[in-house]
Amino acid sequence: MKPFEYVRVKDARQAAQALGTERDQAKILAGGTDLLGEMKDYLVTPARLVNIKTIPNLDKIEHDDKKGLKLGALVTLSRLAEDKNVRERYTALAQAIDLSAMPQIRNAATIGGNLCQRPRCWYYRDEHTICLKKGGSKCYAVEGENQYHAILGGGPCYIVHPSDPAPALVALGARVVITDGTKTREVPLEQFFILPAQNVRRENILAQNEIITHVLVPAPAPGTRSVYLKEREKDSYDWALASAAVVVTPNAGSVGAARVVLGGVAPVPWRVAEAEKALVGQPLNPATLARAAEAALAGATPLEKNGYKVPLAQAVVRRALSLTMA
Amino acid sequence: MARITELDVNGSREKIDVDAERTLLSVLRDDLDLTGAKYGCGEARCGACVVLMDGRPVPACVTSAGSAAGAKITTVEGLEQDGQLHPLQEAFLEVGAMQCGYCTPGMIMAGVALLRDNPDPDEAEIVRTLEGNLCRCGAYPRIVAAVRRAAGMLRGGGAA
């Protein structure tokens, strides 16, 4: 690992100053579970780490029956999943965390950091492969071993977003609060993530000197059920081959409102409006589930080795929707 | 360069003088001579380095010394009390839950935290909790058996 300077900050303004404006010369340290691994593999070589865990009051879980959840960016995944209110009312989020990484990592990893983690594409993670995402001229997945890559939203790079909580939070309508210590902006989480076509070097809109301070999750409408379901190659400590976060609000025997967001299949949490349209106004019967699943993957364009993800993701969507009735 | 001059390890305040950028694992092993926690993968993927930070198991190989300052650290060396091993350590010995032993300290720290939170975990919960701890010898069945046995010892009022 390249030696670096270590700085502790007390507020967002100090963080912004310490982070500076030169891209990746300084990196934000919170749980460090992704960043330290990246540094050891020389994927990033910052001259400075800015520890934001010393900023007070960003580790709170605040509940309000009307306004919903206000999560400090430094809340660890395990604390979030243990929260009784989160488990009961924001079920998909708790389920997504249960299926993330492993217990020790969940103890250290923060929700803000989880949303900012880098992709797990094996070309990107290989120190010696200079792919598009690292400033190279080529995405090696296109003609290479692409069984774990994107079937939706890919090009020119075909990563999939590695977070499980992110699709759940997008489905629950979360927003993120971002600040550089002077200007604060609140952005729908859905718009926080960006596609490789927009900027192949980044996965989100965070500027070099900005940090996430909070994640806001609106209170679900009465009767709403949410489910997160994930299929992976091995049953422990693995990333999603395909996952789905679904949020369904019933209305007189049929679906009043629905959100369907896919994980593990696209460079960002992939919300599918077509699948949501196929659900609204319909009873949740097998025919509706099949139509929604079909619609969810209608736009898929698999690479040579990841065609299996289409029926897999369809099955995950169908099953997640049926679990909202359980 | 920020320096860390004190770490709370196994109930005692250890005077040190290290760069805050160093990993907690390196400080424990190289400066404090606490070689129980092991360097495995170095990337939080194997669990050999697990120690408790304020009671929670964390991978020490990706925890900076700076983040550990101010927290209460417990390593496998800190489990023994007045010459008595922790019941889970006893159980590991009785069941023979290790071959090479490299994963054992991490397994034990993760297991100790589990037993503190749930004195009667079933097999599925033990497996789920230890999923981040890899055993290359494949001693998993005995490791699970040792956790079950320690749970019985703890419930039976044995030394805690």
Side-chain angles (χ1 to χ4, degrees):
Chain A
M1 189 157 52
K2 188 185 148 208
F4 55 89
E5 182 195 4
Y6 173 91
V7 184
R8 270 178 285 197
V9 293
K10 290 274 185 296
D11 55 41
R13 192 181 293 256
Q14 284 183 9
Q17 269 165 10
L19 286 165
T21 50
E22 205 179 329
R23 264 293 177 192
D24 295 340
Q25 276 308 292
K27 298 289 278 182
I28 302 167
L29 172 67
T33 56
D34 186 17
L35 179 62
L36 273 282
E38 283 219 315
M39 290 169 65
K40 289 181 180 189
D41 288 342
Y42 293 92
L43 303 181
V44 289
T45 51
R48 174 187 287 176
L49 285 197
V50 181
N51 185 354
I52 62 166
K53 288 199 84 171
T54 39
I55 300 179
N57 299 320
L58 289 189
D59 59 351
K60 303 256 188 302
I61 302 174
E62 294 173 62
H63 289 285
D64 185 293
D65 279 348
K66 290 209 185 78
K67 281 190 270 181
L69 271 181
K70 183 176 182 185
L71 307 172
L74 299 176
V75 172
T76 61
L77 296 187
S78 50
R79 273 191 52 222
L80 196 48
E82 283 162 12
D83 188 282
K84 195 163 162 283
N85 201 343
V86 170
R87 293 206 83 82
E88 279 170 12
R89 300 192 68 196
Y90 307 85
T91 314
L93 176 57
Q95 290 171 334
I97 293 173
D98 289 344
L99 292 166
S100 297
M102 48 137 137
Q104 291 96 331
I105 287 182
R106 297 197 292 267
N107 283 339
T110 63
I111 188 65
N114 180 278
L115 300 177
C116 298
Q117 62 184 305
R118 305 304 309 275
R120 289 282 155 183
C121 165
W122 47 27
Y123 295 107
Y124 169 73
R125 291 278 162 172
D126 176 34
E127 183 184 338
H128 304 291
T129 303
I130 307 305
C131 68
L132 273 180
K133 191 162 267 306
K134 289 189 276 193
S137 57
K138 181 175 173 180
C139 170
Y140 291 86
V142 176
E143 293 173 341
E145 295 298 319
N146 49 37
Q147 49 268 55
Y148 301 127
H149 290 78
I151 55 172
L152 287 158
C157 147
Y158 287 83
I159 60 153
V160 295
H161 200 276
S163 168
D164 293 305
L169 284 167
V170 169
L172 289 163
R175 304 169 71 81
V176 283
V177 183
I178 297 171
T179 184
D180 63 4
T182 314
K183 285 192 299 291
T184 297
R185 51 184 177 144
E186 194 182 306
V187 184
L189 183 60
E190 203 177 341
Q191 291 164 24
F192 174 74
F193 299 106
I194 55 174
L195 288 169
Q198 291 166 267
N199 183 344
V200 77
R201 303 292 300 272
R202 312 274 155 221
E203 295 82 46
N204 59 60
I205 59 168
L206 211 59
Q208 169 64 22
N209 65 350
E210 286 181 316
I211 63 168
I212 297 178
T213 57
H214 295 92
V215 179
L216 312 175
V217 195
T224 298
R225 299 285 296 271
S226 68
V227 168
Y228 185 78
L229 203 61
K230 168 180 178 179
E231 282 301 325
R232 41 191 176 172
E233 203 161 45
K234 55 188 172 72
D235 230 6
S236 81
Y237 195 16
D238 206 356
W239 287 272
L241 298 171
S243 70
V246 299
V247 180
V248 174
T249 308
N251 180 25
S254 62
V255 176
R259 288 248 209 172
V260 177
V261 182
L262 306 178
V265 293
V268 299
W270 193 257
R271 186 174 170 200
V272 248
E274 293 79 3
E276 296 169 4
K277 277 194 211 111
L279 290 165
V280 172
Q282 303 296 322
L284 266 188
N285 58 28
T288 308
L289 301 192
R291 268 196 301 275
E294 187 92 355
L297 276 299
T301 51
L303 301 163
E304 191 190 345
K305 297 181 179 177
N306 64 5
Y308 72 93
K309 283 194 176 195
V310 175
L312 184 67
Q314 286 173 339
V316 171
V317 169
R318 278 196 306 272
R319 206 171 299 167
L321 285 168
S322 67
L323 285 170
T324 64
M325 299 182 289
Chain B
M1 183 70 67
R3 309 288 298 176
I4 300 298
T5 54
E6 191 177 273
L7 269 191
D8 185 335
V9 183
N10 298 331
S12 96
R13 294 182 172 281
E14 302 286 349
K15 296 283 173 227
I16 51 174
D17 181 22
V18 304
D19 286 344
E21 64 163 86
R22 288 196 27 217
T23 65
L24 172 61
L25 181 64
S26 156
V27 174
L28 290 173
R29 291 181 56 86
D30 303 331
D31 294 63
L32 298 175
D33 216 20
L34 295 168
T35 54
K38 299 289 187 281
Y39 186 96
C41 65
E43 298 182 358
R45 295 179 66 90
C46 77
C49 65
V50 165
V51 300
L52 304 187
M53 206 157 111
D54 289 331
R56 292 201 182 250
V58 298
C61 72
V62 295
T63 301
S64 70
S67 319
K72 287 193 192 318
I73 312 295
T74 310
T75 70
V76 72
E77 290 90 345
L79 293 179
E80 166 259 312
Q81 302 279 326
D82 305 324
Q84 286 278 92
L85 292 178
H86 185 282
L88 185 55
Q89 292 174 300
E90 293 282 5
F92 261 68
L93 291 170
E94 285 166 15
V95 173
M98 73 285 282
Q99 288 182 39
C100 82
Y102 204 82
C103 72
T104 308
M107 288 280 183
I108 287 182
M109 297 318 286
V112 163
L114 167 66
L115 291 171
R116 184 200 54 212
D117 295 339
N118 178 1
D120 190 16
D122 61 17
E123 181 171 332
E125 183 168 6
I126 296 169
V127 169
R128 215 163 42 236
T129 306
L130 298 180
E131 71 173 343
N133 296 77
L134 303 187
C135 170
R136 229 216 64 174
C137 306
Y140 296 110
R142 288 179 184 226
I143 291 166
V144 173
V147 178
R148 296 280 294 153
R149 188 182 182 93
M153 288 157 75
L154 283 163
R155 286 198 312 279

